[in-house]
Amino acid sequence: MSQSLTEVRGLQRINDFVVKFANVNGSGSASANTMFGKSILRMGVPVAPRNIFPSNIQGLPTWYEVRVSEAGHLGARGGVDLMVAMNPQTWDQDIRSIEPGGYLFYDSTKPMPASKFRDDIVVLGMPLTELCNAAYSDPRQRQLFKNIIYIGALSALLEIEPAVIETLLGEQYRGKDKLIAPNLEAFHMGRDYALKHLDCPIGLKVRRADQVGDRISIDGNAAAALGAVYGGASVAAWYPITPSSSLAEAFARYCQRYRVDKATGRNKFAIVQAEDELASIGMVIGAGWNGARAFTATSGPGISLMQEFFGLAYFAEIPAVIFDVQRAGPSTGMPTRTQQCDVLACAYASHGDTKHVLLFPEDPHECFTMGAQAFDLADRLQTPVFVLLDLDIGMNERLCAPFTWDDSKRMDRGKVMTAAELEAGKDFGRYLDVDGDGIPYRTYPGTHPTRGAFFTRGTSKDRYARYTEEGPAYQDNMERLLRKHDTAKSLLPRPLAHPASAPTRLGAIYYGSTSPAMDEAAGLLAEEGLPIDCLRVRGFPFHHDVAEFIAAHDQVFVVEQNRDGQLRSLLINELEVAPSRLARIVHYDGSPITARFIAGAIAKAHTQSRKVAP
């Protein structure tokens, strides 16, 4: 079945559309779809790719979405302008997601009834299976080259420069030169067929631009791992769990490059795949107590298992860094879907009165900078520091500013008493606050043969680490830990304000991967006559700027990706804000939050609030 462009007025957009590929897991489509996104990027047009994959076995549905935006919008937009439907299992839902006037590209080898299509979209059928069966005899070749053939067709339909894809094919199979020619042949087979049999180009077009600049494309997990290297980490202990495993794997690759002594060939790092999450955090804490910079990478279920050790590190005041790449929970939940649902679990991790330091990176660049900064903070504050990524940032490549590093920068090890100071008789109390910031001095094991700290424990103690269950001593220690937590406010990245272009009494608070969608949503709201001031929170405990922002606005929307509004709860609890001051804008179906959703939800909530206002 095929509809010409004259039957349905197709969308007309240049460098501003969304393409979505619907495939079957294990079909070999991933490399071809990735190449499609890279080809547009090579033409100087920003793209934001997202891989949506199953957590189970081969044969289940998988999607790959590419947002093309010369304006530079990198958040999920919502809706699909061109659907490349290669999976009969998901056909109906894929068709429903196409925007009116959008395009459907599909394998038309087998006829389909008219009821399977919509009359408000442009249908582009191409007999992909038939072409592959005629050209190839090997079943695996038929499947793999089918992906390259449809990339060739798309290059014609969207006017992607063929030379760009030819170059990418050469790069992809460098070192396997015998594969280059057949892939080029398959690419041109698809392109030539489309040029001859389909109406090329369609209304969606790619035009060469210069909007990428010096930005790089990298996923957040790899960026955080590189940040850990630059932050001085030399120990990683982890247990594999989606979507954090690639962070530890990337750290191992970087260590092989940057942490091997060139003269001796000896490794200057230790990476342990532990038997479980509990063992991994125990190793990290042990390494941190001995003076190494150490971390673990995990996700929600791992955070649940590590709770008791978090309490030990908090109470014994041992540096540790935890990269939590969040996924949809609770329990196993949806392991390959994204959420921001570990905020409260990390902020108050463990039993008793605990409060932890959290960092909220918005993109791979901040995954790198905060990934490095976390180790300085952990040493300076002598406490666990949680870096809260999520699957959307961690596993998807994103355009971001290039990484830079000041080679003159030195690690901030915080308050560490030396052997000379101990020998000179300087007063050492492991839990003694000498200057009011709540942070005591520590010593590395073996600093002095008879003085300093030689062991630690999670039981109550006095200022000189002597075991005691006396109430005043316990309370004194707990109050000091609060002072330290308050000190952290001045050390964390400050929130970033994005004022509206016009005066407004409306505000929005958001964090992490919500950032690109929120930035775009603010523009959509402004176009509708609803300007809104925005504040991106980058860490917990909250800087005083956050309280001031809330006080300066009549209505503040807290935008986040979880069911219960966890950041909102944290704001209410920590800043003692009246719940009525903070409106929940929540999205939690496992897909990335979109600009359209945010703008629509805020506009609706604002309208409803005006109706009920006295």
Side-chain angles (χ1 to χ4, degrees):
M1 177 178 176
S2 178
Q3 293 177 341
S4 69
L5 293 177
T6 57
E7 293 175 309
V8 176
R9 173 65 174 173
L11 296 171
Q12 306 293 306
R13 294 174 182 164
I14 297 174
N15 294 348
D16 182 19
F17 52 86
V18 175
V19 181
K20 193 169 187 177
F21 298 83
N23 298 101
V24 175
N25 196 33
S27 63
S29 60
S31 60
N33 297 344
T34 301
M35 185 185 305
F36 172 83
K38 286 183 178 179
S39 68
I40 299 173
L41 191 63
R42 290 283 179 94
M43 290 179 64
V45 182
V47 298
R50 285 178 170 82
N51 191 21
I52 306 164
F53 58 98
S55 60
N56 277 312
I57 59 175
Q58 178 172 310
L60 291 180
T62 182
W63 293 268
Y64 189 80
E65 181 177 294
V66 180
R67 182 173 186 186
V68 181
S69 175
E70 186 172 351
H73 296 306
L74 301 179
R77 188 202 69 183
V80 178
D81 301 315
L82 168 60
M83 174 62 71
V84 182
M86 296 291 119
N87 187 359
Q89 294 175 288
T90 61
W91 177 274
D92 291 339
Q93 71 183 86
D94 293 334
I95 298 301
R96 285 194 299 269
S97 68
I98 302 173
E99 298 278 286
Y103 301 83
L104 167 68
F105 179 88
Y106 79 108
D107 183 354
S108 61
T109 300
K110 292 183 179 180
M112 298 188 68
S115 61
K116 284 292 186 179
F117 299 90
R118 284 169 43 187
D119 58 11
D120 63 342
I121 61 174
V122 179
V123 178
L124 304 163
M126 181 170 168
L128 294 167
T129 300
E130 181 182 319
L131 291 171
C132 288
N133 290 345
Y136 309 104
S137 57
D138 181 79
R140 186 58 177 165
Q141 279 190 328
R142 288 174 173 175
Q143 179 58 61
L144 294 176
F145 285 124
K146 179 180 178 180
N147 303 320
I148 301 300
I149 290 172
Y150 71 61
I151 294 299
L154 292 175
S155 75
L157 291 167
L158 300 172
E159 293 194 327
I160 299 172
E161 297 172 8
V164 173
I165 297 181
E166 290 169 352
T167 299
L168 286 168
L169 283 169
E171 293 174 0
Q172 181 167 318
Y173 294 107
R174 185 178 294 132
K176 301 178 181 178
D177 294 350
K178 66 179 182 180
L179 297 177
I180 296 177
N183 275 277
L184 286 172
E185 182 181 351
F187 167 70
H188 281 287
M189 185 191 307
R191 181 175 174 82
D192 292 344
Y193 184 95
L195 289 169
K196 183 176 181 180
H197 297 282
L198 300 177
D199 294 311
C200 296
I202 60 175
L204 308 177
K205 299 179 181 66
V206 180
R207 289 285 183 270
R208 183 168 284 276
D210 188 20
Q211 296 303 314
V212 175
D214 65 349
R215 286 182 290 178
I216 63 173
S217 183
I218 187 173
D219 65 80
N221 281 355
L226 188 59
V229 172
Y230 275 79
S234 59
V235 176
W238 64 295
Y239 182 79
I241 182 171
T242 302
S244 70
S245 295
S246 63
L247 197 160
E249 291 163 354
F251 181 73
R253 292 195 302 272
Y254 290 132
C255 282
Q256 288 292 340
R257 184 173 179 181
Y258 299 115
R259 286 268 191 275
V260 177
D261 187 278
K262 293 182 180 179
T264 65
R266 295 182 61 184
N267 292 340
K268 296 190 290 184
F269 62 90
I271 301 174
V272 181
Q273 183 177 318
E275 62 267 32
D276 55 33
E277 287 90 349
L278 192 60
S280 68
I281 188 61
M283 294 177 190
V284 168
I285 293 170
W289 180 73
N290 276 280
R293 290 195 157 187
F295 75 90
T296 190
T298 190
S299 192
I303 294 295
S304 296
L305 289 169
M306 297 176 185
Q307 293 286 308
E308 186 173 358
F309 263 135
F310 291 150
L312 171 63
Y314 173 80
F315 202 51
E317 298 179 67
I318 300 171
V321 172
I322 302 95
F323 291 100
D324 177 12
V325 190
Q326 300 167 93
R327 70 190 208 188
S331 189
T332 305
M334 295 191 291
T336 59
R337 298 294 185 264
T338 194
Q339 274 191 18
Q340 297 172 316
C341 55
D342 297 346
V343 176
L344 290 176
C346 292
Y348 301 129
S350 194
H351 53 277
D353 294 321
T354 56
K355 288 187 181 182
H356 297 293
V357 174
L358 313 181
L359 295 173
F360 304 118
E362 72 160 345
D363 65 0
H365 185 271
E366 285 195 344
C367 288
F368 171 75
T369 57
M370 292 185 182
Q373 183 184 20
F375 293 92
D376 274 354
L377 289 170
D379 268 352
R380 178 82 175 270
L381 295 165
Q382 301 174 32
T383 197
V385 173
F386 294 77
V387 185
L388 269 61
L389 296 75
D390 57 39
L391 184 147
D392 189 33
I393 295 178
M395 296 194 70
N396 290 311
E397 289 195 1
R398 185 84 58 84
L399 277 177
C400 66
F403 304 158
T404 58
W405 189 259
D406 181 359
D407 288 334
S408 66
K409 178 180 172 60
R410 294 295 177 264
M411 290 186 290
D412 181 357
R413 301 308 299 256
K415 296 179 179 178
V416 180
M417 198 167 288
T418 65
E421 289 171 324
L422 291 169
E423 184 66 28
K426 188 171 182 178
D427 186 21
F428 175 71
R430 178 62 188 93
Y431 302 106
L432 176 66
D433 183 1
V434 298
D435 52 15
D437 64 0
I439 305 171
Y441 274 87
R442 63 174 173 145
T443 60
Y444 300 135
T447 295
H448 190 281
T450 60
R451 298 171 185 170
F454 288 86
F455 66 95
T456 191
R457 58 182 164 199
T459 51
S460 182
K461 58 270 181 177
D462 66 12
R463 296 177 180 183
Y464 290 88
R466 294 173 297 216
Y467 172 74
T468 179
E469 293 186 15
E470 293 291 332
Y474 170 80
Q475 188 169 338
D476 175 70
N477 194 46
M478 294 298 288
E479 291 295 326
R480 181 185 56 76
L481 288 171
L482 270 185
R483 289 198 301 275
K484 181 168 73 169
H485 192 71
D486 192 62
T487 295
K489 295 178 183 178
S490 63
L491 303 176
L492 300 183
R494 290 183 67 165
L496 294 180
H498 299 280
S501 57
T504 179
R505 298 294 293 176
L506 297 180
I509 293 176
Y510 61 104
Y511 61 103
S513 67
T514 301
S515 181
M518 184 66 238
D519 293 343
E520 185 179 358
L524 297 175
L525 289 166
E527 291 174 3
E528 297 298 320
L530 200 63
I532 187 166
D533 293 330
C534 297
L535 185 75
R536 179 164 70 88
V537 173
R538 297 197 291 168
F540 172 77
F542 301 121
H543 193 274
H544 62 79
D545 289 353
V546 180
E548 292 176 1
F549 180 87
I550 295 172
H553 295 85
D554 295 335
Q555 188 174 27
V556 176
F557 303 95
V558 184
V559 184
E560 49 189 320
Q561 299 180 66
N562 57 69
R563 184 194 68 183
D564 295 337
Q566 293 187 23
L567 183 71
R568 176 179 177 270
S569 296
L570 200 58
L571 290 165
I572 291 169
N573 190 52
E574 294 293 323
L575 302 181
E576 299 183 351
V577 179
S580 59
R581 297 290 312 283
L582 303 178
R584 294 184 341 136
I585 302 294
V586 296
H587 173 89
Y588 55 93
D589 67 0
S591 64
I593 197 168
T594 68
R596 291 179 177 180
F597 172 84
I598 295 172
I602 287 178
K604 180 180 179 181
H606 178 62
T607 299
Q608 291 176 340
S609 67
R610 294 179 66 180
K611 287 181 179 178
V612 300

